[in-house]
C-alpha cells in the first residue's frame, strides 16, 4: 500500500518526462546540445519516464541496474527489487496523473559512466491534492553490454 512519501517521490520522478522534453540530444528550449557521448544515456532517462507515464513498470524496471540506489526525501531504496516493492506503482500512477515540463538538462559521460541532471516543473492533481512543484533529478548510468542502465537516482523538489 502506498504511503504519504509515495506522492513526494512520484512528484519528483515526473521531472524529465520525455513527452515534454525537446529530445534526448537537446536541453529544454532546444538551444544547447548535450554532449554527444551522453545522448544515449539521456535517452534511457527519457525512456524510463515514458515507461512510468504509460504504466509499463516492467519496462521501467528493465532500465535500472539490480543494485540501483535511489535517494529521495531523506529516504533510500538500495536495489531494483526494493524500489519495485515500495514506490514503483505509486510513481507510475503519479506520472500518468500530472504533467511535467523539462526546463533545463545537462549531461556528460566518461567511459562507462554517464550522468544526466534535469530540472523541471510538475503540475496537476493527484489523489485530491493540487501539485505545483519545481524539481531536480540527477541520474547516474553505467554502460552495460546491452546499453545504459540507471545505477543511481537522486530526486529533490520544492513547492
Amino acid at each position: 500500500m502506498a504511503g504519504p512519501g509515495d506522492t513526494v517521490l512520484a512528484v519528483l520522478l515526473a521531472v524529465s518526462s520525455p513527452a515534454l522534453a525537446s529530445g534526448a540530444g537537446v536541453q529544454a528550449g532546444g538551444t544547447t546540445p548535450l554532449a554527444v557521448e551522453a545522448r544515449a544515456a539521456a535517452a534511457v532517462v527519457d525512456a524510463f519516464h515514458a515507461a512510468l507515464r504509460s504504466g509499463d513498470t516492467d519496462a521501467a524496471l528493465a532500465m535500472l541496474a539490480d543494485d540501483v540506489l535511489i535517494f529521495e526525501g531523506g529516504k533510500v531504496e538500495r536495489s531494483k527489487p526494493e524500489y519495485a516493492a515500495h514506490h514503483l506503482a505509486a510513481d507510475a500512477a503519479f506520472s500518468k496523473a500530472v504533467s511535467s515540463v523539462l526546463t533545463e538538462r545537462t549531461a556528460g559521460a566518461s567511459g562507462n559512466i554517464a550522468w544526466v541532471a534535469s530540472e523541471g516543473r510538475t503540475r496537476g492533481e493527484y489523489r485530491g491534492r493540487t501539485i505545483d512543484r519545481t524539481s531536480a533529478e540527477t541520474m547516474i548510468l553505467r554502460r552495460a553490454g546491452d546499453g545504459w542502465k540507471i545505477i543511481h537516482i537522486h530526486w529533490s523538489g520544492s513547492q
Side-chain angles (χ1 to χ4, degrees):
M1 177 168 223
D6 295 340
T7 301
V8 173
L9 177 62
V11 168
L12 300 171
L13 179 65
V15 67
S16 64
S17 170
L20 300 158
S22 301
V26 180
Q27 284 180 275
T31 58
T32 306
L34 295 178
V36 172
E37 63 273 11
R39 290 181 186 175
V44 170
V45 171
D46 288 342
F48 174 77
H49 288 291
L52 287 175
R53 184 171 293 283
S54 71
D56 189 348
T57 55
D58 289 337
L61 286 174
M63 292 174 231
L64 300 176
D66 291 338
D67 60 346
V68 68
L69 180 65
I70 301 172
F71 290 171
E72 183 275 322
K75 299 192 189 290
V76 179
E77 291 174 316
R78 299 180 188 282
S79 69
K80 183 187 330 189
E82 188 175 341
Y83 175 64
H86 293 120
H87 290 110
L88 177 62
D91 290 349
F94 180 84
S95 293
K96 289 172 110 174
V98 299
S99 65
S100 297
V101 175
L102 179 66
T103 58
E104 189 72 29
R105 173 174 278 168
T106 187
S110 179
N112 291 328
I113 299 294
W115 57 271
V116 180
S118 305
E119 299 168 61
R121 182 149 201 147
T122 301
R123 292 183 173 144
E125 189 170 313
Y126 182 68
R127 293 186 178 169
R129 291 184 16 195
T130 299
I131 306 297
D132 186 359
R133 297 183 63 104
T134 57
S135 46
E137 167 188 273
T138 303
M139 291 203 188
I140 300 173
L141 299 91
R142 177 176 54 227
R143 192 185 329 258
D146 55 348
W148 291 98
K149 295 283 187 177
I150 300 165
I151 61 171
H152 177 62
I153 302 171
H154 191 162
W155 286 301
S156 64
S158 64
Q159 290 198 33

